[in-house]
Amino acid sequence: RRCVQETVIEEEYVPHEEEDTQCQICLESLTNQVITGNDLCGHVFHMRCLIQHARTQIKEKKIPVVCPMKHECGKDLDQGLLEEILDENTLQKYDSFSLKRVQESHADEYMYCLTPDCNYIFVHDGKQSRFICPKCHEEYCLRCAVKYHFEQTCQEFSINMKTDKNDICLLYTSPSPRDS
């Protein structure tokens, strides 16, 4: 019987004679306990121990989640296994951290929308300069990473921004005609 969420996955566990019958996380016997294993490496653990291991790894942003036998094994936990044992909230965090990790490792290919709190990621080939986010609908210049400046080059926009800031400073620092 298999149930999604962090409920029971009942499987009869019959260890091979030469196989260790202890959970390598808590070191207690695996017999007569609810157990699960990683399909990618075959290591077997108590369900509760593996759930706690996965939650801890995700909380600490250690992505991908690896087999608890990492010194002997080092294989990632199977995505299907994580989907079976983790609650929806933890799985969403895992997916979010995984996506961020991919984006960071390929920063020259992927970009986040420049709007704070918008988590839209897109492929940036370096050729496009104008970007309209399909999620937040903001428009940006990708060359200079600011709101899109219509009918101005990045250099013209930059010069105008410096001039505008200087004009504002002059308003506050110029003596008024009454002071003369």
Side-chain angles (χ1 to χ4, degrees):
R1 189 177 84 197
R2 291 196 178 271
C3 301
V4 181
Q5 297 280 15
E6 58 180 279
T7 54
V8 175
I9 296 178
E10 295 176 11
E11 294 179 6
E12 189 171 325
Y13 178 63
V14 182
H16 295 67
E17 287 183 28
E18 69 278 356
E19 189 176 5
D20 189 353
T21 59
Q22 287 185 323
C23 171
Q24 294 301 303
I25 298 173
C26 71
L27 302 177
E28 292 179 9
S29 173
L30 287 172
T31 54
N32 300 322
Q33 298 279 331
V34 179
I35 60 148
T36 192
N38 185 15
D39 290 341
L40 299 178
C41 65
H43 289 119
V44 182
F45 309 94
H46 290 124
M47 175 71 77
R48 61 179 160 52
C49 295
L50 195 59
I51 290 170
Q52 187 58 45
H53 169 74
R55 283 181 178 161
T56 301
Q57 295 296 295
I58 293 166
K59 184 179 179 182
E60 295 174 1
K61 299 181 183 178
K62 293 181 180 174
I63 307 295
V65 177
V66 296
C67 174
M69 302 287 293
K70 62 184 170 192
H71 298 296
E72 297 172 24
C73 175
K75 296 202 179 199
D76 298 350
L77 289 186
D78 178 69
Q79 180 70 27
L81 174 63
L82 291 174
E83 290 170 1
E84 283 183 27
I85 67 172
L86 294 175
D87 60 90
E88 191 65 34
N89 186 41
T90 305
L91 202 54
Q92 284 177 350
K93 286 179 186 176
Y94 174 77
D95 290 343
S96 176
F97 295 152
S98 295
L99 184 60
K100 187 169 178 73
R101 186 170 187 251
V102 168
Q103 189 272 331
E104 288 171 349
S105 66
H106 298 281
D108 56 329
E109 299 171 49
Y110 300 104
M111 279 185 73
Y112 274 98
C113 173
L114 300 173
T115 302
D117 299 327
C118 180
N119 58 359
Y120 185 78
I121 294 178
F122 60 98
V123 176
H124 178 49
D125 59 10
K127 297 175 186 170
Q128 68 192 77
S129 62
R130 185 176 173 190
F131 170 72
I132 302 170
C133 179
K135 186 172 181 182
C136 70
H137 307 289
E138 291 292 338
E139 198 165 352
Y140 290 97
C141 173
L142 297 177
R143 289 197 176 110
C144 58
V146 297
K147 293 255 185 192
Y148 194 74
H149 39 85
F150 293 92
E151 300 178 12
Q152 290 183 326
T153 66
C154 295
Q155 185 177 10
E156 291 169 339
F157 179 77
S158 177
I159 290 169
N160 286 340
M161 287 303 294
K162 287 178 185 173
T163 303
D164 288 347
K165 286 180 184 174
N166 288 337
D167 290 346
I168 291 169
C169 289
L170 287 173
L171 285 174
Y172 291 105
T173 58
S174 297
S176 69
R178 288 183 283 160
D179 293 339
S180 314

